[in-house]
Amino acid sequence: MGPAETKVRTRRRAVPWLVLGLWVVLLAVVTPFAAKLSEVQNDRAVDYLPASADSTRVAKIQDRLPGGETTELVLVYHRDGGLTAADRAAAERQVAEIGERDRLAAEPEGVPSQDGTTLMYPVASNGPGTDEKLRDAFVERVRAVAHSEGGLTVEVGGPGALATDAGKVYESLGGPLLYTTVAVVAVLLIIIYRSPVLWLVPLVVAGIADFMSMGVAYGLNQAFGTTVSGQSSGVMTILVFGAGTDYALLLVSRYREELRRVERPYEAMRVALRGCGPAVLASSGTVAAGLLCLLAADLNSSRGMGPLGTVGVLCALLAMLTLLPALLVLLGRRVFWPLVPAYGSEPRRRRSLFSAMGSSAGRRPLTVLAGGAVLLGALALGTLNLPGSLKQEDSFVDTPESVAAMETLGTAFPGLGTQPVSVITPTGRADATLAEIEAHDGVATAARGRTGGGWTEISVIARSAPQSAAETATIESLREALPEAYVGGPSAEQIDLLDTNARDRLVVVPIVLVSVLLILVALLRSLVAPLLLVVAVVAVWAASLGIGGLLFGPVFGFEGTDPGLGLLSFVFLVALGVDYGIFLMHRMREESLAGAEPAVAALTALRTTGGVIASAGLVLGATFAVLLNMGLVQLVQLGFVIAVGVLLDTFLVRTYLVTSASVALRRKVWWPGRLSREPARPVRPPEAPDRERVAVR
């Protein structure tokens, strides 16, 4: 070995250590910011509301009124056989004690039910303001005082209590969600790799990428005011581990393959990165572009999820294409123990599952394609069975105290509004506005509230139950009758959520489809193949929602569907589904460029990437399935639809339908690119069945 070669080898040995050192420096820089992400996470209703809606304007003006934002509670005293004099005295005593402990916005007055079983005390305080911790502390203090005794049931409900109970669920999106995700990914990697060591490397790298994404997300919040909610930060973590592990599976699979051909790990890794790097870059870029389309949404929660999801995917990409290769090279072949890929060895040859699936698709492509299309279409019909819009009190998987209080009120005060509608009007028109509201048919009571900054707050109680069709009609008619005023409150917020989600679907969905299609056209240099992939992922989305429609009500017992489910599940399934399509089509194009006949190229691509795609799909589906264990219905529904969609895409669409369509279309799948034209030289003949290369495990 000459001096020049020795110098080159020394330099190459130093590269992994240099990469490792750069990551240490990067983490040192990011650490102070990552620890602060939880400080800027907000889960108030205004943080999820549409930016331009009346309810958002009401919430922001309320923040500026004297005393700041009002925390509104309802104390519900109930006895089945009817309240006694002692019960009423206990209620008055507890309410007085609450007033002594906390500064209340007004003196609470009890409202008895007609049947005498229930007494309702509205309680409001400006003390907590917009501070969620102070709000939660206030609610807990009230609950500590307003306790059941001697057969008298006491429950604390109202918007403030609902927000506190929801906050407890969002707290589980921190540590518990992370631990559960790590555990699920670890188990799957151990099964996939069958190694006591190898599984730990991508898992540690994914954890580092997640930590880095937290720091970057905090930076986006500080620099651009990006909304950070419990939902968006939780989904970001899932994307880091899910997408990051997928990229690791593809890289490790190709690296193991190259270790059998290349003697030195460093050189094998270079070849592996050249082979799978473009596909990983393209797929991650497509996912990021799809998620960034959420910036066009008007809903704060959706618009904030786009950048955070993109941060998660890109941090995972950076870690898996730099830190993971460096660690694998430094650990050498022994990291694969006990299934060490020796230099010059051949993988064990056996007929794989995906070889058999490819054979069936190759023999009868049109039959397989038609059967799959009919199945997806039938499943999509389940969307007709999706329950209606999810009400606020139905958004919890388990019934918290705040929801139980609202249910008691609904029974005791049938047809009466039990949560206020807030009207913000210019102070100069306050008297006229109050008179118009009191004359409205759907209004039971109305009273002036705070005044400041040129605005006056009027608290309105409707004659109908919260979030009922009648109350919705009352709110909408008030908005029409009071053009100079803003109408908000919990029920108005739900109306705005529905309207804005409908608007966002009309705007964001076409942007996502066009963006993804243009990227695929540029990557695959074809029009037909991108259209095929996009149609496939849209069909998967519809079928997944249909399965949800068949199960949400009858099996899960959900009373409604989250208004944002359609849009968010569409963006994620289109972006992530195309991700896997790129893995398959990239290998198919590689085989075609090498001279393989189109049908052979399609089947070879399935055989060589099917195992990796299946493993990646299982990991990604399992990470989103972690959301099924969360306590909010909207998170369970989102996790279910995406997990089912990923599995459908992995084991039906990607393996059977896309492959069958590619076999049936032959060279037309690459139209109008040069691969769509017949070559002048002979094509590579298909390999004999007993010589087929199996998917690298």
Side-chain angles (χ1 to χ4, degrees), residues 79-382:
R79 186 185 289 272
D80 288 335
L83 294 171
T84 65
D87 293 337
R88 294 186 180 90
E92 290 178 2
R93 185 176 64 254
Q94 290 182 0
V95 171
E97 184 178 347
I98 292 169
E100 293 172 0
R101 292 191 177 194
D102 288 277
R103 185 182 78 250
L104 301 182
E107 186 70 24
E109 295 183 6
V111 181
S113 63
Q114 289 186 352
D115 61 7
T117 63
T118 308
L119 184 63
M120 173 179 66
Y121 274 93
V123 173
S125 173
N126 303 121
T130 60
D131 191 306
E132 294 181 28
K133 293 182 180 179
L134 292 179
R135 178 204 65 200
D136 295 343
F138 169 63
V139 172
E140 294 306 323
R141 286 196 302 272
V142 171
R143 283 175 169 169
V145 174
H147 59 273
S148 302
E149 56 182 46
L152 174 66
T153 301
V154 185
E155 298 164 331
V156 179
L162 277 171
T164 293
D165 290 337
K168 292 177 181 178
V169 177
Y170 281 117
E171 287 177 5
S172 69
L173 295 182
L177 175 66
L178 176 62
Y179 305 146
T180 307
T181 303
V182 169
V184 168
V185 173
V187 170
L188 289 174
L189 287 178
I190 291 171
I191 295 173
I192 292 168
Y193 286 139
R194 290 172 288 173
S195 167
V197 180
L198 180 58
W199 65 273
L200 191 58
V201 181
L203 192 63
V204 169
V205 173
I208 292 173
D210 183 49
F211 192 72
M212 180 181 173
S213 69
M214 293 168 63
V216 176
Y218 176 79
L220 285 178
N221 174 268
Q222 296 299 296
F224 304 105
T226 303
T227 300
V228 179
S229 64
Q231 185 184 50
S232 60
S233 61
V235 169
M236 182 180 71
T237 292
I238 286 176
L239 280 173
V240 170
F241 279 91
T245 305
D246 284 0
Y247 303 150
L249 286 168
L250 192 67
L251 176 64
V252 171
S253 172
R254 193 63 176 257
Y255 177 51
R256 190 204 304 255
E257 184 179 341
E258 297 304 332
L259 281 173
R260 300 182 187 277
R261 304 172 183 165
V262 182
E263 182 178 3
R264 303 188 183 282
Y266 179 87
E267 297 297 335
M269 181 59 73
R270 287 185 63 187
V271 176
L273 285 172
R274 283 199 300 267
C276 70
V280 172
L281 285 169
S283 60
S284 61
T286 305
V287 174
L291 293 177
L292 282 177
C293 292
L294 283 171
L295 287 171
D298 191 30
L299 200 65
N300 280 345
S301 54
S302 297
R303 193 170 62 251
M305 190 176 292
L308 261 66
T310 301
V311 164
V313 170
L314 295 183
C315 286
L317 172 71
L318 180 63
M320 294 305 170
L321 289 188
T322 57
L323 182 58
L324 178 62
L327 291 175
L328 290 175
V329 170
L330 291 174
L331 292 171
R333 296 176 186 271
R334 59 185 177 275
V335 75
F336 289 93
W337 185 87
L339 304 175
V340 179
Y343 172 59
S345 65
E346 289 289 334
R348 186 176 59 179
R349 293 170 182 163
R350 62 181 178 84
R351 188 170 178 80
S352 69
L353 170 65
F354 294 97
S355 176
M357 294 172 76
S359 297
S360 63
R363 287 194 301 269
R364 301 180 184 86
L366 293 178
T367 302
V368 171
L369 191 60
V374 169
L375 175 60
L376 291 176
L379 291 175
L381 292 176

